[in-house]
Amino acid sequence: MSRILLIGGHGKVALLTAPLLVARGHEVNSVIRNPDQADDVRAVGAEPVVADVESMDVEALTDLVRDHDAIVWSAGAGGGSPERTYAVDRDAAIRTMDAAEAAGVRRYVMVSYVGSGIDDVPQDNPFHHYAVAKAEADDHLRGTGLDWTVLGPSALTSDEATGQIEITQDAATEVSRADVAGVVAPVRGAGASGHRRPHHPFQRRGGTPIAQALTA
């Protein structure tokens, strides 16, 4: 059993991921900012941890992540202002990576998106700030000494899980959040002897079972 810190614990992907991790025998601590969300987190088998990662410095985050075996980042500003997008999706994420290194937490899984570091999003596009923030956070993670995986799903839907994905750079299709959760759970423990792929994009096309797709 591993102790996993799931940051962004009330997000749609996180609420689907937590029970899958618990079913694998892991202890999941889900970080939420709003204490009113605690019951939702408990309902999926995780323990709520109330903390505002956006406002915490590296020292405070080091205390937060300490004594965990892995961190899963599934937080985001949710399309807020450019300032808050950078504050959460880039700056807070980067501080948690630095905190993981300081605390000796080796495993870090980043839920990103398929175009991170690839898309050339024009500055006048509302998506530009998110794209830049995610790319810079992912680049920082790649430069750490952590045992990391960057997951890059394509457009998210609320469809039921299929248990099937396709590893591809094509961002033109969709994948369900439930299938994203189905990828996070097995890769949480992967790569103990080294880094996974620098970018691990996927979508639901081709019908490849998740376990098979991840080892292809």
Side-chain angles (χ1 to χ4, degrees), residues 5 28 83 102 108-109 111-112 126 136 138 142 145 158 168 175-176 195 211 216:
L5 191 69
V28 180
E83 293 77 16
Y108 195 110
V109 178
V111 180
S112 187
E136 292 183 359
D138 294 351
R142 294 185 185 102
S158 298
T168 176
V175 65
S176 72
H195 294 163

Side-chain angles (χ1 to χ4, degrees), residues 56-213:
M56 298 169 72
D57 61 17
V58 172
E59 182 177 1
L61 288 167
T62 300
D63 290 337
L64 178 69
V65 306
R66 185 175 284 115
D67 297 328
H68 288 86
D69 300 297
I71 296 169
V72 176
W73 177 275
S74 189
S81 68
E83 293 77 16
R84 187 156 188 271
T85 296
Y86 287 123
V88 177
D89 292 272
R90 181 188 65 190
D91 300 341
I94 287 173
R95 289 196 299 273
T96 65
M97 299 166 199
D98 295 343
E101 290 195 288
V105 181
R106 301 303 307 159
R107 188 79 179 101
Y108 195 110
V109 178
M110 166 62 73
V111 180
S112 187
Y113 80 103
V114 69
S116 176
I118 301 170
D119 281 348
D120 183 15
V121 180
Q123 291 191 9
D124 59 354
N125 187 317
F127 191 72
H128 172 79
H129 305 289
Y130 175 81
V132 171
K134 294 300 287 184
E136 292 183 359
D138 294 351
D139 284 346
H140 185 88
L141 180 58
R142 294 185 185 102
T144 68
L146 298 170
D147 175 18
W148 51 263
T149 299
V150 176
L151 299 179
S154 51
L156 301 177
T157 74
S158 298
D159 296 339
E160 295 294 322
T162 67
Q164 299 175 335
I165 61 169
E166 194 71 29
I167 304 296
T168 176
Q169 295 286 352
D170 182 5
T173 60
E174 302 174 332
V175 65
S176 72
R177 292 178 178 87
D179 280 328
V180 176
V183 174
V184 174
V187 303
R188 194 290 322 155
S193 61
H195 294 163
R196 294 277 294 185
R197 301 180 186 181
H199 197 73
H200 210 348
F202 60 89
Q203 63 184 30
R204 192 184 64 198
R205 175 186 288 175
T208 305
I210 288 173
Q212 180 181 338

